[in-house]
Amino acid sequence: MAVEGRTHRPVIDYDRCGECMICMNGCPAALLPAMRREQDSLRGAFYGRTEAAETDSGPVSSVIPATVAPRCQTACPLGQDVRGYLQMIGEGRFAEALALIREANPLPTLCGAVCHHPCTSACTRAAIDDPLDIRELKRFAAAGAATDDDTTLPIPATSTGRHIYIVGAGPAGLTAAHDLVRRGHRVTVLEAAAAAGGMAEQVIPPFRLPRAALRRDIDYLRRLGVEIETSTRFGHDVTAAGLCRRDAAAIILAVGTSRGVPLEIDPGIPKATGRYDCLTFLRAFAAGRPPLIAGDRVIVVGGGNAAVDAARAARRAGAGTVTILYRREREAMPADGDEIAAAEREGITFIDRAVPHRLLTANDRVTGLGCRTTRPAATDSAAPPAALPDSDFTLTADLVIAAVGQRLDTTLIDEHLPLELTPRLTVAVHGETRETSIPGIFAAGDAVLGPSTVVEAMADGRRAAMAVHHRIIAE
C-alpha cells in the first residue's frame, strides 16, 4: 500500500509483536487511522447508528478485518477499546477518552477503582519493559474529563415502546440497563437498598471506592434514561406478576451473592460475640458503624479481595494487630496484588498454608482460633516434597472475620419466586438465552455465575441484555 511521502517498509520485531495483524495489510502509519474509523463505525452499528466508514481505497472492512483486536482488548470481559482510549489520554483528550470507555463500560469510575484489570496482564508492553497501568489510566481519564452535561450523552436509538425491569442495581444490573436503554427500550431498575450500586455501594470500603465516584457513574446512567427506584424490595413492594400485569416485556434478576459464608468450625456457638462474616463486617464499616472491637487483635480467614478489604477496614476501625489466614501458598491468593501490597504497608500480617479448625471462646466471647498447618518438607531429591504431618497452633483473637465465600440469598426464591437453582445454589439459566425456569424472567451476574469480579459480572449483565433485546425484537 503506497503512502505519499513515505519510502520505508515496516520492520517487524517478532519477539515484541502484539499480533494485531495491521502490518500484514500495509503500512501501519496509514492503516491505524482507518482502523480507528472502522471501530467507530462498528460501535455505531452496534448501537443502531449506520454511519459508513470508508477510505480512498474503499470500505475500511475491505482493508482491516473486523475481528482484529489487541490482547488487552481481548482480555477485557467487556471488550473495551483499550488502545483507543489510551491514545486519547496520551493526547490529553480526556472527555473523548471517557466517552469511548463508556461505549463498552458504563461504570468507568467503579472499574477504575476496583477492577482486577486482566488487560494489564495481557499488555504487550511487558515484552519491552513494564505493562501499562490501564486501570489507573482509566481512573485518571474519568477524573480528568470535563464535568458531565447532556452534550456528552450518545445519540439515543429509536424507542421500541417496550419496558424492561431489572432487579438489582449492582454492576450486572446497571450494565444491562445501560445496554438496553441504548437500544431504545425503557428500563427501570429496582433496588432494595436506599442507594444504587449493589455490593459495590454496600460492601467495598470507601478507602478503595469513594462513593462520590460511584454516584457519578450512576448519575450518568440516569441522564442516559435509566430509571432507578431505590428502597423497593422485589417480592414485597412489587412482584413479578404485578410487573407483568403492568407493562413488563421482560424481567432480569441481577441480585448478586449478598450472603457471606460463615466458618463452620464450631456450630455449637454460632452467636459468640466477636465472630462475623466479612460481608456483615464490611457493610457495617461502609455505613460508618464498624463493630466494636473489644480488644485489638483481629484474624481474617480467607485470601480474596473481600478478606483483604476486611483486614484493612479492621485496621482503620482500631485493631492493633490484624492477621490474614490463608489455606494455600501466598502466591495463590486470589486477591489483587496491589491490595495485598497495600495491606502489607499497613502492617497486616499474612499466614499462609493454614486453616482454622476450632473457635476458642470464653463467656460466649471469642478468644482465639485453633489452626492447623501443613508445610512442604525439605528434600534434596527431584521428587515433589512430602507433606509434614499436620501441626496445630493457636492464635489469640478478639475478633474473627470469615471471608471464605459468598452465596445467593435464596429468601426471595424460597418465598416469592420458585426458580430452579443449580447444585451450587445459583440461578439456573438456559445457556446464552439467560432465561430462567420461569418464561420471561432472565438472570445475570453473580446470581448466575457465583461470586465473580466486578467486570465479569458486568459482562454477564451485557449477555443478559443482548438476550432480552434479541428476544423482544424477534417477537
Side-chain angles (χ1 to χ4, degrees), residues 256-311:
T257 49
S258 59
R259 287 287 182 91
V261 177
L263 288 176
E264 297 298 337
I265 54 177
D266 196 341
I269 48 171
K271 300 297 184 183
T273 302
R275 181 183 186 184
Y276 289 91
D277 71 83
C278 71
L279 297 187
T280 299
F281 180 83
L282 288 171
R283 282 192 181 96
F285 182 85
R289 300 186 300 273
L292 180 65
I293 300 176
D296 66 352
R297 295 160 298 188
V298 175
I299 297 174
V300 180
V301 182
N305 280 330
V308 178
D309 283 350

Side-chain angles (χ1 to χ4, degrees), residues 25-56:
N25 294 276
C27 176
L31 291 175
L32 278 171
M35 188 177 192
R36 181 67 58 240
R37 288 194 293 273
E38 185 201 17
Q39 288 174 333
D40 291 341
S41 176
L42 290 172
R43 284 191 294 271
F46 189 69
Y47 288 113
R49 300 192 297 273
T50 57
E51 298 95 323
E54 295 188 348
T55 66
D56 294 339

Side-chain angles (χ1 to χ4, degrees), residues 198-406:
M199 298 290 281
E201 163 70 30
Q202 300 166 27
V203 173
I204 297 178
F207 57 80
R208 277 192 70 201
L209 176 64
R211 292 306 184 260
L214 179 60
R215 283 193 290 272
R216 184 182 182 190
D217 286 341
I218 294 169
D219 288 344
Y220 170 78
L221 291 173
R222 283 195 166 105
R223 291 190 299 108
L224 200 61
V226 176
E227 303 170 22
I228 302 176
E229 297 181 8
T230 56
S231 301
T232 303
R233 295 182 301 164
F234 187 73
H236 294 271
D237 301 315
V238 294
T239 64
L243 294 178
C244 290
R245 285 194 300 269
R246 192 186 302 179
D247 61 349
I251 297 171
I252 299 177
L253 295 179
V255 293
T257 49
S258 59
R259 287 287 182 91
V261 177
L263 288 176
E264 297 298 337
I265 54 177
D266 196 341
I269 48 171
K271 300 297 184 183
T273 302
R275 181 183 186 184
Y276 289 91
D277 71 83
C278 71
L279 297 187
T280 299
F281 180 83
L282 288 171
R283 282 192 181 96
F285 182 85
R289 300 186 300 273
L292 180 65
I293 300 176
D296 66 352
R297 295 160 298 188
V298 175
I299 297 174
V300 180
V301 182
N305 280 330
V308 178
D309 283 350
R312 298 180 67 195
R315 190 74 161 164
R316 287 163 173 77
T321 61
V322 181
T323 302
I324 293 179
L325 197 72
Y326 182 55
R327 61 194 177 98
R328 294 194 178 98
E329 294 84 357
R330 172 71 173 277
E331 295 74 21
M333 288 186 71
D336 188 287
D338 294 341
E339 301 306 316
I340 294 174
E344 288 181 317
R345 288 194 297 271
E346 293 168 11
I348 293 169
T349 302
F350 291 80
I351 299 177
D352 62 354
R353 294 190 63 87
V355 293
H357 68 90
R358 187 163 58 98
L359 191 68
L360 308 178
T361 63
N363 300 320
D364 293 328
R365 176 174 291 281
V366 169
T367 60
L369 203 60
C371 305
R372 183 172 292 126
T373 182
T374 301
R375 298 188 180 278
T379 177
D380 295 329
S381 70
L388 291 171
D390 289 344
S391 59
D392 291 338
F393 63 96
T394 300
L395 295 174
T396 303
D398 303 295
L399 183 68
V400 174
I401 302 172
V404 294
Q406 299 166 213

